[in-house]
Amino acid sequence: MIQKPRGTQDIFEIKSKQYNDLENTIINVLKTYNLNEIRTPIFEAKELFVRSVGETSDVVSKEMYEFFDKKGREFVLRPEGTAPIVRSLIENKLYAPEFLPLKLYYVGPMFRYERPQTGRYRQFEQIGVEILGVDSVYQDIEILAMLDSITKAIKIDTKVELDLNYLVTGKQREIYIKELTKFLVDFDDLCDDCEVRIHKNPLRTLDCKIDFNKFKTAPKMTSFLSKEDEQRFQQILEAGKKIGLKININQRLVRGLDYYTGLIFELKYLESSLGSQSTIIAGGRYNNLVKDLDGPDLPAIGFAMGVERLILILEENQINLNHDHGIDLYTIALSSEAMILNLEIIRDLRNNDIRVETDYLNRSLKSNFKQAEKLQAKNVIVIGDNEIKTQKIVIKNQINKAQTEVKISDLVEEMKAGK
Ligand code: ATP
Ligand code: MG
């Protein structure tokens, strides 16, 4: 028997409803912020991620699914959503003034070769947001408000907290990196990755999953902020508190990807059940990425959330997002002549947005009613010779047990009114 690849999932029945509910709820929130969807390819040139996410990042150095196509071009299954969007923006010239600010969201699978565990898969889904063309502190604050709106909409706002940091920018970044390097070279017991990072990308050591605890006394990034950055960070913190988010300043938060500048954040689930998979949303400002990928100088901010982790949290807390999964009507035809009429009736109903199920398995009346119950049908109709003769039909309401006789020609209107 052929099995699915390790770290992937088949999503069906209740699980697929959970995905739908979660996606719909979050997309509705994103639409209230006037974001539009963008879809980009599942695979991209490998170079795109090497040049954006960074060669020393875990994602690029260890986690990419890489392959050559038949012409020998090197591609990867996309490990994240930001670089492809920036690529698309540059390629399609979406930086033209008429498109700006560009306010986008995306939903789709990402691929990383990691050790599968709870909340960590090789194919997982992200919902992400990218806002390009604005470098305003108010936009930064609005991004935090968006996190608040999302967590409230999915009813986990009391169970999360937000780690914030502000990456030093410009000249101050160079000064900080020098200080940090001085601090780092004194260790003689760092992991192999960190030994490389000290020289190639010292900032990255700070969120090393192995050496993390050794760096408690590392120079504090926020003490190196320029006056302007310091003020902006304070403004964000104050506004964030007003929004009501539980906020921690986390000096060692640097995020795994290379392209961040300024505000960065991670939203964490407070219970320990997800272990080291407790980060559910992560993002920040990346004002240099568009330029670094040969586009214009265009500021940007964004974040991405892991759908599987959110679903685990909803399950753990028995949170039901309360979308209606029942159908509006279940129809039963008692003869082949009745079936012809039935097919006509249900096509009309479906053309009018009524959710209908019918039976082609020749079930008994009893088992049809059982099936209707299982599908949470709100109404049932039975079509037999009498209905054909009188052209009238009885709508049996399954919730309040009311029975209403209507002309078949009025059925659509009746069902629409009752929805
Ligand atoms: P982690 O430290 O858990 O590996 P990350 O920093 O690699 O996370 P990001 O690249 O910031 O993660 O991705 C944003 C979000 O996507 C994460 O916060 C998480 O919710 C989700 N995510 C990342 N990798 C996976 C994975 N392998 N399986 C499931 N969800 C994931
Ligand atoms: Mg990771």
Side-chain angles (χ1 to χ4, degrees):
M1 189 185 60
I2 299 169
Q3 293 184 327
K4 63 184 179 319
R6 203 163 119 77
T8 65
Q9 305 183 87
D10 295 316
I11 296 160
F12 53 87
E13 289 278 319
I14 291 177
K15 237 271 117 84
S16 91
K17 287 181 176 152
Q18 288 174 329
Y19 271 73
N20 268 297
D21 285 351
L22 187 79
E23 286 163 11
N24 290 338
T25 307
I26 293 173
I27 289 168
N28 279 338
V29 171
L30 300 180
K31 286 187 172 158
T32 68
Y33 284 82
N34 191 31
L35 305 183
N36 292 306
E37 192 189 17
I38 181 166
R39 299 185 194 198
T40 61
I42 302 281
F43 65 102
E44 294 270 3
K46 178 179 173 184
E47 192 196 350
L48 173 63
F49 300 99
V50 174
R51 281 181 51 191
S52 55
V53 177
E55 222 162 348
T56 55
S57 64
D58 281 354
V59 167
V60 167
S61 64
K62 302 175 192 160
E63 298 172 358
M64 287 205 296
Y65 273 91
E66 313 176 7
F67 63 97
F68 291 97
D69 76 356
K70 293 193 194 302
K71 284 254 165 77
R73 289 170 286 228
E74 194 165 23
F75 290 110
V76 296
L77 297 181
R78 65 178 182 198
E80 61 102 47
T82 303
I85 286 173
V86 172
R87 196 260 318 129
S88 170
L89 165 121
I90 297 170
E91 193 168 339
N92 297 293
K93 299 199 170 53
L94 297 177
Y95 48 75
E98 74 243 46
F99 297 117
L100 298 181
L102 200 57
K103 304 171 73 168
L104 303 171
Y105 76 85
Y106 60 89
V107 182
M110 304 295 159
F111 305 84
R112 296 186 192 176
Y113 193 79
E114 303 194 67
R115 193 172 67 79
Q117 48 197 299
T118 314
R120 194 176 293 286
Y121 304 89
R122 290 181 171 175
Q123 174 173 340
F124 60 99
E125 185 171 293
Q126 281 187 343
I127 303 177
V129 166
E130 314 290 352
I131 299 195
L132 298 113
V134 199
D135 185 12
S136 158
V137 66
Y138 304 113
Q139 182 64 67
D140 294 351
I141 293 166
E142 190 189 73
I143 287 285
L144 301 190
M146 225 181 268
L147 300 180
D148 178 63
S149 302
I150 291 168
T151 53
K152 284 209 169 83
I154 61 174
K155 305 178 191 176
I156 62 167
D157 51 306
T158 58
K159 299 171 178 17
V160 294
E161 65 183 13
L162 188 66
D163 272 17
L164 285 188
N165 198 12
Y166 202 100
L167 283 177
V168 284
T169 57
K171 258 213 182 85
Q172 288 303 109
R173 187 154 176 158
E174 286 161 34
I175 298 173
Y176 176 72
I177 287 175
K178 256 191 208 137
E179 284 300 311
L180 178 65
T181 310
K182 262 192 233 159
F183 167 83
L184 292 169
V185 291
D186 286 343
F187 290 93
D188 49 17
D189 57 345
L190 296 183
C191 76
D192 292 349
D193 284 343
C194 278
E195 285 300 339
V196 176
R197 289 172 183 138
I198 291 182
H199 305 291
K200 282 199 168 167
N201 195 344
L203 272 187
R204 171 73 34 74
T205 54
L206 293 177
D207 77 345
C208 173
K209 287 189 171 102
I210 301 164
D211 289 332
F212 194 79
N213 277 319
K214 295 183 185 144
F215 303 142
K216 281 190 177 135
T217 55
K220 282 194 163 51
M221 199 167 339
T222 52
S223 326
F224 288 76
L225 295 181
S226 67
K227 254 231 151 63
E228 213 177 295
D229 280 350
E230 167 69 31
Q231 262 172 12
R232 183 163 171 155
F233 192 33
Q234 285 312 320
Q235 223 178 324
I236 294 169
L237 288 173
E238 271 161 40
K241 276 186 199 128
K242 261 204 198 137
I243 292 169
L245 295 163
K246 267 186 223 133
I247 288 183
N248 291 316
I249 300 178
N250 179 351
Q251 294 279 351
R252 281 180 297 155
L253 180 65
V254 291
R255 305 278 310 112
L257 322 176
D258 258 0
Y259 49 61
Y260 289 106
T261 55
L263 176 68
I264 49 174
F265 52 85
E266 286 191 357
L267 191 87
K268 298 211 151 106
Y269 179 50
L270 288 168
E271 320 274 300
S272 57
S273 50
L274 285 182
S276 57
Q277 279 70 252
S278 66
T279 302
I280 47 181
I281 306 184
R285 185 161 274 291
Y286 53 97
N287 285 353
N288 296 333
L289 181 59
V290 183
K291 201 171 46 191
D292 288 350
L293 287 174
D294 304 327
D297 195 356
L298 197 73
I301 186 165
F303 60 84
M305 63 197 102
V307 170
E308 287 74 14
R309 292 185 195 179
L310 290 172
I311 285 178
L312 285 169
I313 295 171
L314 296 187
E315 272 175 356
E316 185 171 307
N317 292 284
Q318 293 174 350
I319 295 169
N320 183 350
L321 295 176
N322 260 337
H323 286 261
D324 180 6
H325 296 297
I327 57 170
D328 298 313
L329 180 68
Y330 189 92
T331 69
I332 304 163
L334 298 177
S335 66
S336 47
E337 216 178 317
M339 180 55 93
I340 302 298
L341 178 60
N342 178 40
L343 287 170
E344 229 172 276
I345 289 175
I346 64 178
R347 189 203 58 219
D348 281 353
L349 288 163
R350 287 165 171 163
N351 287 350
N352 282 280
D353 261 356
I354 312 282
R355 286 177 290 178
V356 186
E357 180 59 292
T358 194
D359 169 47
Y360 303 126
L361 296 177
N362 242 329
R363 289 180 160 106
S364 70
L365 202 57
K366 195 173 157 203
S367 82
N368 263 321
F369 271 95
K370 264 204 188 135
Q371 183 66 6
E373 195 182 325
K374 191 175 146 205
L375 297 175
Q376 298 172 47
K378 293 182 195 80
N379 299 284
V380 175
I381 61 175
V382 180
I383 307 169
D385 292 344
N386 202 32
E387 282 71 23
I388 297 173
K389 205 161 46 194
T390 60
Q391 288 294 307
K392 285 185 182 159
I393 213 153
V394 178
I395 303 174
K396 298 172 195 282
N397 185 311
Q398 301 299 290
I399 298 159
N400 62 16
K401 300 291 167 202
Q403 307 217 357
T404 317
E405 192 180 52
V406 297
K407 285 197 214 145
I408 289 179
S409 55
D410 292 341
L411 184 61
V412 168
E413 286 314 311
E414 193 69 28
M415 282 300 301
K416 274 163 78 176
K419 256 188 96 175

